[in-house]
Amino acid sequence: MKTVLLAALLAFLISLVLTPVVIKNAVRFGLLDIPKDARRVHKKPIPISGGLAMYVAVMAGMVVFLDLTHELIALMIGATLITVCGLIDDKWEMSAKVKLACQLLAAGILVFGGSHIEFFTNPFPFGESVIFLKALAIPVTIFWVVGITNTVNLIDGLDGLAAGVSLISAVSLAVIAYKFEYNSVSVIAALLAGSCLGFLPYNFNPAKIFMGDTGALFLGFMLSYISIEGIMKSAAALTIVVPVLILGVPVFDTTFAMVRRKLSGRGIMQADKGHLHHRLLALGLSQRQTVLILYGISIIFGLLANLVAGVDAQIGLFISLLTVINVVLIGKVSGMFKSKEEL
């Protein structure tokens, strides 16, 4: 536990000190988010690519606290690739196809390094206790990595939102990975949490810098890896449900967005103003109030995930199903399946 806390502290300090340097150089090199459409909440150009500070903090921490195994080197290469792609996108705006290709390549590097979702545990009192994916292991892993990477990117719409939700998710993942005795993974999760905490003073409303795709893609990529290695490789029941709950805010918001766009006849990747944070703002809440509410929801999801990870399989399944049903009902009542024009 001492190592986990020291890792979080080091990443926090590096991110806290380095972010002002990134702000200065972002302005110098023209890395600015200029408000040019109605989806953007800010009114003036803001430095972008703050994710570089978090990237450096996590990479440095891994070198200091962990042995450079084949798997860890693959993680570092994949994370570097996804961060560079995000940086290029922040500067020149990549096409969706090129961004997806970068994400698939980064996910493939993880798989090559040995990170696989090899099985799902069966929580039901019948059938095999473990369902092995076999030939599906690689495509399922790649789908998970790319999916989680993009869910974090999609909620990065308000000052401090993606960084705070990622911080809470990383803490929850660190606790569970430590319980499952995946000590190196808990250190990586702690590094990610510390880097987010160091970045937040500059990113919380009113933001002095945005993380950009540089940060959002990096955070999503790292969270996907941690969830695989820190939870899904355990034989404990409901290992697939636990990371979904931990990442509940971005996962459910993205799912609602895809369903909403499909029902309204739009492309599922077409941006809109129907995300949960947009709905809360439309109710008259301030940016800070909206972000704090979503932090609270993320904390609740994290607590539920820790509860599910530590109880009997059938009880955990009941809690999980009840949670999902309530989330879907709340989403329907609040209009999350309808476009803004239909409300």
Side-chain angles (χ1 to χ4, degrees), residues 8 12 16 49 91 99 129 178 186 197 264 284 309 321:
F12 165 74
L16 186 69
S49 300
K91 179 63 178 177
K99 285 173 69 173
S129 61
Y178 190 80
S186 64
L197 187 61
S264 61
L321 289 174

PDB file of all heavy atoms in Angstrom, residues 8 12 16 49 91 99 129 178 186 197 264 284 309 321:
ATOM      1  N   ALA A   8       1.071   7.504  -6.397  1.00  0.00           N
ATOM      2  CA  ALA A   8       0.056   8.545  -6.594  1.00  0.00           C
ATOM      3  C   ALA A   8       0.629   9.923  -6.296  1.00  0.00           C
ATOM      4  O   ALA A   8       0.382  10.890  -7.031  1.00  0.00           O
ATOM      5  CB  ALA A   8      -1.155   8.266  -5.710  1.00  0.00           C
ATOM      6  N   PHE A  12       1.108  12.960  -8.970  1.00  0.00           N
ATOM      7  CA  PHE A  12       0.432  14.221  -8.638  1.00  0.00           C
ATOM      8  C   PHE A  12       1.402  15.402  -8.748  1.00  0.00           C
ATOM      9  O   PHE A  12       1.093  16.420  -9.379  1.00  0.00           O
ATOM     10  CB  PHE A  12      -0.143  14.146  -7.229  1.00  0.00           C
ATOM     11  CG  PHE A  12      -0.546  15.470  -6.654  1.00  0.00           C
ATOM     12  CD1 PHE A  12      -1.694  16.125  -7.091  1.00  0.00           C
ATOM     13  CD2 PHE A  12       0.237  16.082  -5.678  1.00  0.00           C
ATOM     14  CE1 PHE A  12      -2.050  17.368  -6.566  1.00  0.00           C
ATOM     15  CE2 PHE A  12      -0.117  17.311  -5.145  1.00  0.00           C
ATOM     16  CZ  PHE A  12      -1.267  17.957  -5.595  1.00  0.00           C
ATOM     17  N   LEU A  16       1.257  18.339 -11.491  1.00  0.00           N
ATOM     18  CA  LEU A  16       1.013  19.687 -10.946  1.00  0.00           C
ATOM     19  C   LEU A  16       2.072  20.677 -11.414  1.00  0.00           C
ATOM     20  O   LEU A  16       1.759  21.820 -11.770  1.00  0.00           O
ATOM     21  CB  LEU A  16       1.000  19.619  -9.415  1.00  0.00           C
ATOM     22  CG  LEU A  16       0.611  20.890  -8.674  1.00  0.00           C
ATOM     23  CD1 LEU A  16      -0.871  21.200  -8.877  1.00  0.00           C
ATOM     24  CD2 LEU A  16       0.917  20.756  -7.175  1.00  0.00           C
ATOM     25  N   SER A  49      -4.247  20.191 -25.120  1.00  0.00           N
ATOM     26  CA  SER A  49      -3.206  19.148 -25.040  1.00  0.00           C
ATOM     27  C   SER A  49      -2.590  19.049 -23.651  1.00  0.00           C
ATOM     28  O   SER A  49      -1.435  18.624 -23.504  1.00  0.00           O
ATOM     29  CB  SER A  49      -2.105  19.369 -26.086  1.00  0.00           C
ATOM     30  OG  SER A  49      -2.652  19.334 -27.381  1.00  0.00           O
ATOM     31  N   LYS A  91      -3.953  19.389 -32.887  1.00  0.00           N
ATOM     32  CA  LYS A  91      -3.335  20.430 -33.714  1.00  0.00           C
ATOM     33  C   LYS A  91      -3.965  20.529 -35.091  1.00  0.00           C
ATOM     34  O   LYS A  91      -4.288  21.618 -35.571  1.00  0.00           O
ATOM     35  CB  LYS A  91      -1.830  20.140 -33.839  1.00  0.00           C
ATOM     36  CG  LYS A  91      -1.066  21.141 -34.708  1.00  0.00           C
ATOM     37  CD  LYS A  91      -1.096  22.543 -34.138  1.00  0.00           C
ATOM     38  CE  LYS A  91      -0.262  23.487 -35.022  1.00  0.00           C
ATOM     39  NZ  LYS A  91      -0.340  24.888 -34.537  1.00  0.00           N
ATOM     40  N   LYS A  99      -8.056   8.225 -36.839  1.00  0.00           N
ATOM     41  CA  LYS A  99      -8.069   8.095 -35.371  1.00  0.00           C
ATOM     42  C   LYS A  99      -8.394   6.673 -34.953  1.00  0.00           C
ATOM     43  O   LYS A  99      -7.760   6.117 -34.047  1.00  0.00           O
ATOM     44  CB  LYS A  99      -9.098   9.069 -34.765  1.00  0.00           C
ATOM     45  CG  LYS A  99      -8.639  10.516 -34.760  1.00  0.00           C
ATOM     46  CD  LYS A  99      -9.747  11.449 -34.327  1.00  0.00           C
ATOM     47  CE  LYS A  99     -10.091  11.302 -32.875  1.00  0.00           C
ATOM     48  NZ  LYS A  99     -11.059  12.312 -32.417  1.00  0.00           N
ATOM     49  N   SER A 129     -18.441 -22.673 -14.743  1.00  0.00           N
ATOM     50  CA  SER A 129     -18.152 -21.508 -13.888  1.00  0.00           C
ATOM     51  C   SER A 129     -17.349 -20.437 -14.624  1.00  0.00           C
ATOM     52  O   SER A 129     -17.401 -19.261 -14.278  1.00  0.00           O
ATOM     53  CB  SER A 129     -17.396 -21.954 -12.634  1.00  0.00           C
ATOM     54  OG  SER A 129     -16.166 -22.561 -12.988  1.00  0.00           O
ATOM     55  N   TYR A 178      -5.888  -3.894  -5.903  1.00  0.00           N
ATOM     56  CA  TYR A 178      -5.115  -4.187  -4.686  1.00  0.00           C
ATOM     57  C   TYR A 178      -5.761  -5.333  -3.907  1.00  0.00           C
ATOM     58  O   TYR A 178      -5.069  -6.215  -3.389  1.00  0.00           O
ATOM     59  CB  TYR A 178      -5.008  -2.936  -3.823  1.00  0.00           C
ATOM     60  CG  TYR A 178      -4.042  -3.079  -2.669  1.00  0.00           C
ATOM     61  CD1 TYR A 178      -2.673  -2.940  -2.868  1.00  0.00           C
ATOM     62  CD2 TYR A 178      -4.502  -3.346  -1.379  1.00  0.00           C
ATOM     63  CE1 TYR A 178      -1.774  -3.070  -1.815  1.00  0.00           C
ATOM     64  CE2 TYR A 178      -3.616  -3.478  -0.325  1.00  0.00           C
ATOM     65  CZ  TYR A 178      -2.263  -3.340  -0.547  1.00  0.00           C
ATOM     66  OH  TYR A 178      -1.372  -3.487   0.499  1.00  0.00           O
ATOM     67  N   SER A 186      -2.383  -1.981  -9.502  1.00  0.00           N
ATOM     68  CA  SER A 186      -2.858  -0.974  -8.547  1.00  0.00           C
ATOM     69  C   SER A 186      -1.919   0.230  -8.528  1.00  0.00           C
ATOM     70  O   SER A 186      -2.365   1.367  -8.357  1.00  0.00           O
ATOM     71  CB  SER A 186      -3.000  -1.576  -7.145  1.00  0.00           C
ATOM     72  OG  SER A 186      -1.764  -1.996  -6.635  1.00  0.00           O
ATOM     73  N   LEU A 197      -5.306  14.212 -10.549  1.00  0.00           N
ATOM     74  CA  LEU A 197      -5.443  15.148  -9.424  1.00  0.00           C
ATOM     75  C   LEU A 197      -4.513  16.350  -9.597  1.00  0.00           C
ATOM     76  O   LEU A 197      -4.891  17.484  -9.284  1.00  0.00           O
ATOM     77  CB  LEU A 197      -5.147  14.420  -8.115  1.00  0.00           C
ATOM     78  CG  LEU A 197      -5.407  15.203  -6.828  1.00  0.00           C
ATOM     79  CD1 LEU A 197      -6.876  15.591  -6.723  1.00  0.00           C
ATOM     80  CD2 LEU A 197      -4.994  14.374  -5.606  1.00  0.00           C
ATOM     81  N   SER A 264     -32.845   8.567 -33.957  1.00  0.00           N
ATOM     82  CA  SER A 264     -33.156   9.817 -34.655  1.00  0.00           C
ATOM     83  C   SER A 264     -32.651   9.820 -36.095  1.00  0.00           C
ATOM     84  O   SER A 264     -32.756  10.834 -36.788  1.00  0.00           O
ATOM     85  CB  SER A 264     -32.568  11.010 -33.889  1.00  0.00           C
ATOM     86  OG  SER A 264     -31.147  10.902 -33.817  1.00  0.00           O
ATOM     87  N   GLY A 284     -30.317  24.663 -16.238  1.00  0.00           N
ATOM     88  CA  GLY A 284     -29.935  25.896 -15.565  1.00  0.00           C
ATOM     89  C   GLY A 284     -28.785  25.748 -14.583  1.00  0.00           C
ATOM     90  O   GLY A 284     -28.433  26.717 -13.895  1.00  0.00           O
ATOM     91  N   ALA A 309     -17.886  -6.457  -6.196  1.00  0.00           N
ATOM     92  CA  ALA A 309     -16.653  -7.248  -6.258  1.00  0.00           C
ATOM     93  C   ALA A 309     -16.417  -8.058  -4.988  1.00  0.00           C
ATOM     94  O   ALA A 309     -15.627  -9.006  -4.997  1.00  0.00           O
ATOM     95  CB  ALA A 309     -15.458  -6.334  -6.513  1.00  0.00           C
ATOM     96  N   LEU A 321     -27.978  -5.815 -11.926  1.00  0.00           N
ATOM     97  CA  LEU A 321     -29.168  -5.723 -12.769  1.00  0.00           C
ATOM     98  C   LEU A 321     -30.083  -4.595 -12.308  1.00  0.00           C
ATOM     99  O   LEU A 321     -30.633  -3.849 -13.125  1.00  0.00           O
ATOM    100  CB  LEU A 321     -29.922  -7.055 -12.762  1.00  0.00           C
ATOM    101  CG  LEU A 321     -29.262  -8.212 -13.512  1.00  0.00           C
ATOM    102  CD1 LEU A 321     -30.045  -9.496 -13.299  1.00  0.00           C
ATOM    103  CD2 LEU A 321     -29.134  -7.891 -14.993  1.00  0.00           C
TER     104      LEU A 321
END
